[in-house]
Coordinates of all heavy atoms in Angstrom, one line a residue:
M1 N 42.5 42.9 -82.1 CA 41.6 42.0 -82.9 C 42.4 41.7 -84.2 O 43.2 42.4 -84.7 CB 40.3 42.5 -83.2 CG 39.3 42.2 -82.1 SD 37.6 42.5 -82.7 CE 37.5 44.2 -82.4
I2 N 42.1 40.5 -84.7 CA 42.8 40.0 -85.9 C 41.7 39.7 -87.0 O 40.6 39.2 -86.6 CB 43.6 38.7 -85.5 CG1 44.6 38.9 -84.5 CG2 44.1 38.1 -86.8 CD1 45.2 37.6 -83.9
A3 N 42.0 40.1 -88.2 CA 41.1 39.7 -89.4 C 41.7 38.3 -89.8 O 42.9 38.1 -90.0 CB 41.3 40.7 -90.4
A4 N 40.7 37.4 -90.1 CA 41.1 36.1 -90.5 C 40.0 35.5 -91.4 O 38.9 36.1 -91.5 CB 41.2 35.2 -89.3
K5 N 40.5 34.4 -92.1 CA 39.5 33.8 -92.9 C 39.3 32.3 -92.4 O 40.3 31.6 -92.1 CB 40.0 33.6 -94.4 CG 39.1 32.9 -95.3 CD 39.6 33.0 -96.7 CE 38.6 32.3 -97.7 NZ 39.1 32.3 -99.0
I6 N 38.0 31.8 -92.3 CA 37.9 30.4 -91.8 C 38.2 29.4 -92.9 O 37.6 29.5 -94.0 CB 36.4 30.3 -91.4 CG1 36.2 31.2 -90.3 CG2 36.2 28.8 -90.9 CD1 34.6 31.2 -89.6
I7 N 39.0 28.5 -92.5 CA 39.6 27.5 -93.4 C 38.8 26.2 -93.3 O 38.4 25.6 -94.3 CB 41.1 27.2 -93.2 CG1 41.9 28.5 -93.3 CG2 41.6 26.1 -94.1 CD1 41.8 29.2 -94.8
D8 N 38.5 25.7 -92.1 CA 37.8 24.4 -91.8 C 37.4 24.4 -90.5 O 37.6 25.2 -89.6 CB 38.8 23.3 -92.1 CG 38.2 22.1 -92.5 OD1 36.9 21.9 -92.5 OD2 38.9 21.1 -92.9
T9 N 36.6 23.4 -90.2 CA 36.1 23.1 -88.8 C 37.1 22.1 -88.1 O 37.6 21.2 -88.8 CB 34.7 22.4 -88.9 OG1 33.8 23.2 -89.6 CG2 34.1 22.0 -87.5
V10 N 37.2 22.3 -86.9 CA 38.1 21.4 -86.1 C 37.2 20.5 -85.2 O 36.4 21.1 -84.4 CB 39.2 22.2 -85.3 CG1 40.0 21.2 -84.4 CG2 40.0 23.1 -86.1
W11 N 37.4 19.2 -85.4 CA 36.6 18.3 -84.6 C 37.5 17.6 -83.5 O 38.7 17.2 -83.7 CB 36.1 17.1 -85.4 CG 35.2 17.6 -86.5 CD1 35.5 17.9 -87.7 CD2 33.8 18.0 -86.3 NE1 34.4 18.4 -88.4 CE2 33.3 18.4 -87.5 CE3 33.0 17.9 -85.2 CZ2 32.0 18.8 -87.8 CZ3 31.6 18.3 -85.4 CH2 31.2 18.8 -86.7
A12 N 37.0 17.5 -82.2 CA 37.9 16.9 -81.1 C 36.9 15.9 -80.5 O 35.8 16.3 -80.0 CB 38.3 18.0 -80.1
T13 N 37.2 14.7 -80.6 CA 36.4 13.6 -80.0 C 36.5 13.6 -78.5 O 35.6 13.2 -77.8 CB 36.8 12.2 -80.5 OG1 38.2 12.0 -80.3 CG2 36.5 12.1 -82.0
R14 N 37.6 14.0 -78.0 CA 37.7 14.2 -76.5 C 38.3 15.6 -76.2 O 39.3 16.0 -76.9 CB 38.7 13.0 -76.0 CG 38.1 11.7 -76.2 CD 39.0 10.7 -75.6 NE 38.9 10.8 -74.1 CZ 39.5 10.1 -73.3 NH1 40.5 9.1 -73.8 NH2 39.5 10.2 -72.0
K15 N 37.8 16.2 -75.2 CA 38.3 17.6 -74.8 C 38.0 17.8 -73.4 O 37.1 17.1 -72.8 CB 37.8 18.6 -75.8 CG 36.3 18.7 -75.8 CD 35.9 19.7 -77.0 CE 34.4 19.6 -77.3 NZ 34.1 20.4 -78.4
A16 N 38.6 18.8 -72.8 CA 38.3 19.1 -71.5 C 36.8 19.5 -71.2 O 36.2 20.0 -72.1 CB 39.2 20.4 -71.1
D17 N 36.3 19.2 -70.1 CA 34.9 19.4 -69.8 C 34.5 20.9 -70.1 O 33.4 21.1 -70.5 CB 34.5 19.1 -68.3 CG 34.6 17.6 -68.2 OD1 34.5 16.8 -69.1 OD2 34.7 17.2 -67.0
S18 N 35.4 21.8 -69.7 CA 35.1 23.2 -69.9 C 34.9 23.6 -71.4 O 34.4 24.7 -71.7 CB 36.1 24.1 -69.1 OG 37.4 23.9 -69.7
L19 N 35.4 22.7 -72.3 CA 35.2 23.1 -73.7 C 34.1 22.5 -74.4 O 33.8 22.7 -75.5 CB 36.5 22.7 -74.5 CG 37.8 23.2 -74.0 CD1 39.0 22.7 -74.7 CD2 37.7 24.8 -74.2
V20 N 33.3 21.7 -73.7 CA 32.2 21.0 -74.2 C 31.2 21.9 -74.7 O 30.8 22.9 -74.0 CB 31.5 19.9 -73.3 CG1 30.3 19.3 -73.7 CG2 32.5 18.8 -72.9
G21 N 30.6 21.7 -75.9 CA 29.6 22.6 -76.4 C 30.2 23.7 -77.2 O 29.4 24.4 -77.9
L22 N 31.5 24.0 -77.3 CA 32.0 24.9 -78.1 C 32.4 24.4 -79.5 O 32.9 23.2 -79.6 CB 33.3 25.5 -77.5 CG 33.2 26.3 -76.1 CD1 34.4 26.7 -75.6 CD2 32.3 27.5 -76.4
K23 N 32.2 25.2 -80.5 CA 32.5 24.8 -81.9 C 33.9 25.5 -82.2 O 34.1 26.7 -81.9 CB 31.4 25.4 -82.8 CG 31.8 25.2 -84.3 CD 30.5 25.9 -85.1 CE 31.0 26.0 -86.5 NZ 30.0 26.9 -87.2
F24 N 34.8 24.7 -82.8 CA 36.2 25.2 -83.1 C 36.3 25.3 -84.5 O 35.9 24.4 -85.4 CB 37.2 24.3 -82.5 CG 37.2 24.4 -81.0 CD1 36.6 23.4 -80.3 CD2 37.7 25.4 -80.2 CE1 36.6 23.5 -78.8 CE2 37.8 25.5 -78.9 CZ 37.1 24.4 -78.2
M25 N 37.0 26.4 -85.0 CA 37.3 26.6 -86.4 C 38.8 26.9 -86.7 O 39.4 27.5 -85.8 CB 36.5 27.8 -87.0 CG 35.0 27.7 -86.7 SD 34.3 26.3 -87.5 CE 33.9 27.0 -89.1
L26 N 39.3 26.3 -87.8 CA 40.7 26.7 -88.2 C 40.7 27.9 -89.0 O 39.9 27.9 -89.9 CB 41.3 25.5 -89.0 CG 42.8 25.8 -89.5 CD1 43.8 25.9 -88.3 CD2 43.1 24.7 -90.4
V27 N 41.4 29.0 -88.6 CA 41.4 30.3 -89.3 C 42.8 30.6 -89.7 O 43.8 30.2 -89.0 CB 40.8 31.4 -88.4 CG1 39.4 31.0 -88.0 CG2 41.6 31.8 -87.2
E28 N 42.9 31.4 -90.8 CA 44.1 31.8 -91.3 C 44.1 33.4 -91.3 O 43.2 34.1 -91.7 CB 44.3 31.4 -92.8 CG 45.6 32.0 -93.4 CD 45.7 31.6 -94.9 OE1 44.9 31.0 -95.4 OE2 46.8 31.9 -95.4
V29 N 45.1 33.9 -90.6 CA 45.4 35.4 -90.3 C 45.5 36.1 -91.6 O 46.2 35.6 -92.5 CB 46.5 35.6 -89.4 CG1 46.7 37.2 -89.3 CG2 46.3 35.0 -88.0
L30 N 44.8 37.2 -91.8 CA 44.9 38.1 -93.1 C 45.7 39.3 -92.8 O 45.4 39.9 -91.8 CB 43.5 38.4 -93.6 CG 42.5 37.2 -93.9 CD1 41.1 37.8 -94.3 CD2 43.1 36.4 -95.0
G31 N 46.7 39.6 -93.6 CA 47.4 40.9 -93.5 C 48.3 40.9 -92.3 O 48.3 40.1 -91.3
G32 N 49.2 42.0 -92.3 CA 50.1 42.2 -91.2 C 51.3 41.2 -91.2 O 51.5 40.4 -92.1
L33 N 52.1 41.3 -90.1 CA 53.2 40.4 -89.9 C 52.9 39.0 -89.8 O 53.7 38.1 -90.1 CB 54.1 40.8 -88.7 CG 54.6 42.3 -88.9 CD1 55.3 42.7 -87.5 CD2 55.6 42.3 -90.0
D34 N 51.7 38.7 -89.2 CA 51.3 37.2 -89.1 C 50.4 36.7 -90.1 O 49.9 35.6 -89.9 CB 50.4 37.2 -87.7 CG 51.3 37.4 -86.4 OD1 52.5 37.0 -86.5 OD2 50.7 37.8 -85.4
A35 N 50.4 37.4 -91.3 CA 49.6 36.8 -92.4 C 50.0 35.4 -92.7 O 51.1 35.0 -92.8 CB 49.9 37.8 -93.6
G36 N 49.0 34.6 -92.9 CA 49.2 33.1 -93.2 C 49.3 32.3 -92.0 O 49.2 31.1 -92.2
R37 N 49.5 32.8 -90.8 CA 49.5 32.0 -89.6 C 48.2 31.4 -89.3 O 47.0 32.0 -89.6 CB 49.8 32.9 -88.5 CG 49.9 32.3 -87.1 CD 50.4 33.2 -86.1 NE 50.0 32.8 -84.8 CZ 49.7 33.6 -83.8 NH1 49.8 34.9 -83.9 NH2 49.2 33.1 -82.6
M38 N 48.1 30.3 -88.9 CA 46.9 29.5 -88.6 C 46.6 29.5 -87.1 O 47.5 29.4 -86.3 CB 47.0 28.0 -89.1 CG 47.2 27.9 -90.6 SD 45.7 28.3 -91.4 CE 46.2 27.7 -93.0
L39 N 45.3 29.6 -86.7 CA 44.9 29.6 -85.3 C 43.6 28.7 -85.2 O 42.9 28.6 -86.2 CB 44.4 31.0 -84.8 CG 45.5 32.1 -84.9 CD1 44.7 33.4 -84.5 CD2 46.5 31.9 -83.7
I40 N 43.4 28.1 -84.1 CA 42.2 27.5 -83.8 C 41.4 28.4 -82.9 O 41.9 28.9 -81.8 CB 42.4 26.1 -83.1 CG1 43.0 25.2 -84.1 CG2 41.0 25.6 -82.6 CD1 43.5 23.9 -83.5
A41 N 40.2 28.8 -83.3 CA 39.3 29.8 -82.6 C 38.0 29.1 -82.3 O 37.4 28.4 -83.1 CB 39.3 31.0 -83.4
A42 N 37.5 29.4 -81.1 CA 36.2 29.1 -80.7 C 35.2 30.0 -81.5 O 35.4 31.2 -81.6 CB 35.9 29.2 -79.3
D43 N 34.1 29.4 -82.0 CA 33.1 30.2 -82.8 C 31.8 30.4 -82.0 O 31.2 29.4 -81.7 CB 32.8 29.4 -84.1 CG 31.8 30.2 -84.9 OD1 31.6 31.4 -84.7 OD2 31.3 29.6 -85.9
T44 N 31.7 31.6 -81.6 CA 30.5 31.9 -80.8 C 29.4 32.5 -81.6 O 28.3 32.8 -80.9 CB 30.9 32.9 -79.6 OG1 31.4 34.1 -80.2 CG2 32.0 32.3 -78.7
I45 N 29.6 32.8 -82.9 CA 28.7 33.5 -83.6 C 28.0 32.7 -84.8 O 27.2 33.2 -85.6 CB 29.0 34.9 -84.2 CG1 30.3 34.7 -85.0 CG2 29.4 35.8 -82.9 CD1 30.7 36.0 -85.6
G46 N 28.5 31.5 -85.0 CA 28.0 30.7 -86.1 C 28.5 31.0 -87.4 O 27.8 31.0 -88.5
A47 N 29.8 31.4 -87.6 CA 30.5 31.7 -88.8 C 30.7 30.4 -89.6 O 30.8 29.3 -89.1 CB 31.8 32.4 -88.6
G48 N 30.9 30.6 -91.0 CA 31.0 29.4 -91.8 C 32.4 29.4 -92.5 O 33.1 30.4 -92.6
I49 N 32.7 28.3 -93.0 CA 33.9 28.1 -93.9 C 33.9 29.0 -95.0 O 32.9 29.2 -95.7 CB 34.0 26.6 -94.3 CG1 34.2 25.7 -93.1 CG2 35.2 26.5 -95.3 CD1 34.2 24.2 -93.4
G50 N 35.1 29.8 -95.2 CA 35.2 30.7 -96.3 C 34.9 32.2 -95.9 O 35.3 33.1 -96.6
E51 N 34.3 32.4 -94.8 CA 33.9 33.7 -94.4 C 35.1 34.4 -93.7 O 36.1 33.7 -93.1 CB 32.8 33.7 -93.4 CG 31.5 33.4 -93.9 CD 30.3 33.6 -93.0 OE1 30.2 32.9 -92.0 OE2 29.5 34.4 -93.3
R52 N 35.2 35.7 -93.9 CA 36.2 36.5 -93.2 C 35.7 37.0 -91.8 O 34.5 37.4 -91.8 CB 36.7 37.6 -94.0 CG 37.4 37.2 -95.3 CD 37.8 38.4 -96.2 NE 36.7 39.3 -96.5 CZ 36.7 40.5 -96.8 NH1 37.9 41.2 -96.9 NH2 35.7 41.3 -97.1
V53 N 36.5 36.9 -90.8 CA 36.0 37.1 -89.4 C 36.9 38.0 -88.6 O 38.1 38.1 -89.0 CB 35.8 35.7 -88.7 CG1 34.6 35.0 -89.4 CG2 37.1 34.9 -88.6
L54 N 36.4 38.5 -87.6 CA 37.2 39.2 -86.5 C 37.4 38.2 -85.4 O 36.5 37.5 -84.9 CB 36.5 40.3 -86.0 CG 36.2 41.5 -87.0 CD1 35.3 42.5 -86.4 CD2 37.5 42.1 -87.5
V55 N 38.7 38.1 -85.0 CA 39.1 37.2 -83.9 C 39.7 37.9 -82.7 O 40.7 38.8 -83.0 CB 40.1 36.1 -84.4 CG1 40.6 35.1 -83.3 CG2 39.6 35.3 -85.6
S56 N 39.3 37.7 -81.7 CA 39.8 38.4 -80.4 C 40.8 37.3 -79.7 O 40.4 36.1 -79.7 CB 38.7 38.7 -79.4 OG 39.1 39.2 -78.3
T57 N 41.8 37.7 -79.2 CA 42.8 36.8 -78.6 C 43.1 37.2 -77.2 O 42.9 38.1 -76.8 CB 44.2 36.7 -79.5 OG1 44.7 38.0 -79.5 CG2 43.9 36.2 -80.9
G58 N 43.8 36.3 -76.5 CA 44.3 36.5 -75.3 C 43.2 36.4 -74.1 O 42.1 35.8 -74.4
S59 N 43.3 37.2 -73.0 CA 42.4 37.2 -72.0 C 41.0 37.8 -72.5 O 39.9 37.4 -72.0 CB 42.9 37.9 -70.8 OG 43.1 39.2 -71.1
S60 N 41.0 38.6 -73.5 CA 39.8 39.2 -73.9 C 39.0 38.1 -74.6 O 37.7 38.1 -74.5 CB 40.1 40.2 -75.1 OG 40.8 41.3 -74.5
A61 N 39.5 37.1 -75.2 CA 38.8 35.9 -75.8 C 38.0 35.2 -74.6 O 36.9 34.8 -74.9 CB 39.8 34.9 -76.4
R62 N 38.6 34.9 -73.5 CA 38.0 34.3 -72.5 C 36.8 35.1 -71.9 O 35.7 34.5 -71.6 CB 38.9 34.0 -71.3 CG 39.8 32.7 -71.5 CD 40.6 32.3 -70.3 NE 41.5 33.4 -69.9 CZ 42.6 33.6 -70.4 NH1 43.0 33.0 -71.6 NH2 43.5 34.5 -70.0
K63 N 36.9 36.4 -71.9 CA 35.8 37.3 -71.4 C 34.6 37.1 -72.4 O 33.5 37.2 -71.8 CB 36.4 38.8 -71.3 CG 37.2 38.9 -70.2 CD 37.8 40.3 -70.1 CE 38.9 40.4 -69.1 NZ 38.7 41.2 -68.0
M64 N 34.8 36.9 -73.6 CA 33.7 36.7 -74.6 C 32.9 35.6 -74.1 O 31.6 35.5 -74.5 CB 34.2 36.5 -76.0 CG 34.8 37.7 -76.6 SD 33.6 39.1 -76.7 CE 32.3 38.4 -77.6
L65 N 33.3 34.5 -73.5 CA 32.6 33.3 -73.1 C 32.0 33.4 -71.7 O 31.4 32.5 -71.2 CB 33.6 32.1 -73.1 CG 34.2 31.8 -74.5 CD1 35.2 30.7 -74.4 CD2 33.1 31.5 -75.5
D66 N 32.3 34.5 -71.1 CA 31.8 34.8 -69.6 C 32.2 33.6 -68.7 O 31.5 33.4 -67.7 CB 30.3 34.9 -69.6 CG 29.8 36.2 -70.3 OD1 30.5 37.2 -70.1 OD2 28.7 36.2 -70.9
R67 N 33.4 33.0 -68.9 CA 33.9 32.0 -68.0 C 35.5 32.2 -68.0 O 36.1 31.9 -69.0 CB 33.5 30.6 -68.5 CG 32.0 30.3 -68.6 CD 31.7 28.9 -69.0 NE 31.9 28.8 -70.4 CZ 31.7 27.7 -71.2 NH1 31.5 26.6 -70.5 NH2 31.9 27.7 -72.5
D68 N 36.0 32.4 -66.9 CA 37.4 32.6 -66.8 C 38.2 31.3 -66.6 O 39.4 31.2 -66.9 CB 37.8 33.5 -65.6 CG 37.5 34.9 -65.8 OD1 37.4 35.3 -67.0 OD2 37.2 35.6 -64.8
N69 N 37.5 30.1 -66.5 CA 38.2 28.9 -66.4 C 38.3 28.1 -67.7 O 38.7 27.0 -67.6 CB 37.4 28.1 -65.3 CG 36.0 27.6 -65.8 OD1 35.5 28.3 -66.5 ND2 35.5 26.6 -65.2
V70 N 37.9 28.7 -68.8 CA 38.1 28.0 -70.1 C 39.5 28.3 -70.7 O 39.9 29.4 -70.9 CB 37.0 28.5 -71.0 CG1 37.1 27.9 -72.3 CG2 35.7 28.3 -70.4
P71 N 40.2 27.2 -71.1 CA 41.5 27.4 -71.7 C 41.4 27.8 -73.1 O 41.7 27.0 -74.1 CB 42.1 26.0 -71.5 CG 41.0 25.0 -71.6 CD 39.8 25.8 -71.0
I72 N 40.9 29.0 -73.5 CA 40.7 29.5 -74.8 C 41.6 30.8 -74.9 O 41.6 31.6 -74.0 CB 39.3 29.9 -75.0 CG1 38.5 28.7 -74.9 CG2 39.1 30.7 -76.3 CD1 38.5 27.7 -76.2
D73 N 42.2 31.0 -76.1 CA 42.9 32.2 -76.3 C 42.6 32.8 -77.7 O 43.2 33.7 -78.1 CB 44.4 32.1 -76.0 CG 45.2 31.2 -77.0 OD1 44.6 30.9 -78.0 OD2 46.3 30.9 -76.6
A74 N 41.6 32.3 -78.4 CA 41.1 32.9 -79.5 C 39.6 32.6 -79.7 O 39.2 31.4 -79.7 CB 42.0 32.4 -80.8
V75 N 38.9 33.6 -80.1 CA 37.4 33.6 -80.2 C 37.0 34.3 -81.4 O 37.4 35.5 -81.5 CB 36.6 33.9 -79.0 CG1 35.2 33.9 -79.1 CG2 37.0 33.0 -77.8
I76 N 36.2 33.9 -82.2 CA 35.5 34.5 -83.4 C 34.5 35.4 -82.8 O 33.5 34.9 -82.2 CB 35.0 33.6 -84.5 CG1 36.2 32.7 -85.1 CG2 34.3 34.3 -85.5 CD1 35.7 31.6 -85.9
V77 N 34.5 36.7 -83.0 CA 33.6 37.6 -82.4 C 32.8 38.4 -83.5 O 31.9 39.1 -83.0 CB 34.3 38.6 -81.4 CG1 35.0 37.9 -80.3 CG2 35.4 39.4 -82.2
G78 N 33.2 38.4 -84.7 CA 32.4 39.0 -85.7 C 32.7 38.5 -87.1 O 33.7 37.9 -87.4
I79 N 31.7 38.8 -88.0 CA 31.9 38.4 -89.5 C 32.0 39.7 -90.2 O 31.3 40.6 -90.1 CB 30.6 37.6 -89.9 CG1 30.5 36.3 -89.2 CG2 30.8 37.4 -91.4 CD1 29.2 35.6 -89.5
I80 N 33.1 39.7 -91.1 CA 33.4 40.9 -91.8 C 32.4 41.0 -93.1 O 32.3 39.9 -93.9 CB 34.9 41.0 -92.3 CG1 35.8 41.0 -91.1 CG2 35.2 42.2 -93.2 CD1 37.2 40.8 -91.3
D81 N 31.9 42.1 -93.3 CA 31.0 42.2 -94.5 C 31.7 41.9 -95.8 O 33.0 42.3 -95.9 CB 30.4 43.6 -94.7 CG 29.5 43.8 -93.5 OD1 28.7 42.9 -92.9 OD2 29.1 44.9 -93.2
E82 N 31.1 41.3 -96.8 CA 31.8 40.9 -98.0 C 32.4 42.1 -98.9 O 33.3 42.1 -99.4 CB 30.8 40.1 -98.9 CG 30.6 38.7 -98.3 CD 30.6 37.6 -99.4 OE1 30.9 37.9 -100.5 OE2 30.2 36.6 -99.0
D83 N 31.6 43.2 -98.7 CA 32.0 44.4 -99.5 C 33.0 45.3 -98.8 O 33.4 46.4 -99.3 CB 30.8 45.2 -100.0 CG 29.6 45.3 -99.0 OD1 29.5 44.5 -98.2 OD2 28.9 46.3 -99.1
C84 N 33.5 44.8 -97.7 CA 34.5 45.6 -96.9 C 35.9 45.2 -97.4 O 36.2 44.0 -97.4 CB 34.3 45.2 -95.4 SG 35.6 46.0 -94.5
M85 N 36.6 46.0 -97.8 CA 38.0 45.7 -98.4 C 39.1 46.2 -97.4 O 38.9 47.2 -96.7 CB 38.2 46.4 -99.6 CG 37.1 46.2 -100.7 SD 37.6 45.1 -102.1 CE 39.2 45.4 -102.5
F86 N 40.1 45.5 -97.3 CA 41.3 45.9 -96.6 C 42.6 45.3 -97.1 O 42.6 44.5 -97.9 CB 41.1 45.6 -95.0 CG 41.0 44.1 -94.7 CD1 42.0 43.4 -94.4 CD2 39.6 43.5 -94.7 CE1 41.9 42.0 -94.2 CE2 39.6 42.2 -94.5 CZ 40.7 41.4 -94.2

């Protein structure tokens, strides 16, 4: 899992049918070698801009959606408490 901060919402006027109904967010990786890297992640928990979140990547991300046919490799799976420091 990756710790990240939500930067903005990503809007897509057209997308694959398997992605319809998913909310996408632009996140910035916090800490580690990938610090500062940007990812687009599907938001399954209703996180908001400015929140720090946990992001699952790869095949684990698809399993969060319970659909193997979705072309997703990053999903927001948790919101980090504000008083948690790292």
Side-chain angles (χ1 to χ4, degrees):
M1 271 194 273
I2 297 168
K5 181 177 180 179
I6 298 179
I7 303 300
D8 206 350
T9 302
V10 175
W11 298 96
T13 55
R14 297 184 70 183
K15 55 188 168 186
D17 290 341
S18 61
L19 299 176
V20 172
L22 293 175
K23 176 181 165 189
F24 294 100
M25 306 297 276
L26 178 65
V27 301
E28 180 180 4
V29 175
L30 301 173
L33 296 174
D34 287 334
R37 180 175 154 212
M38 300 286 191
L39 298 172
I40 295 175
D43 179 16
T44 61
I45 60 171
I49 295 172
E51 289 189 294
R52 293 182 304 156
V53 294
L54 296 174
V55 178
S56 179
T57 58
S59 62
S60 298
R62 280 188 300 283
K63 289 181 192 238
M64 288 300 303
L65 300 175
D66 290 327
R67 296 182 284 177
D68 287 333
N69 65 335
V70 180
I72 295 283
D73 62 17
V75 174
I76 297 168
V77 297
I79 298 173
I80 298 171
D81 291 337
E82 290 215 11
D83 39 331
C84 177
M85 307 255 321
F86 59 92

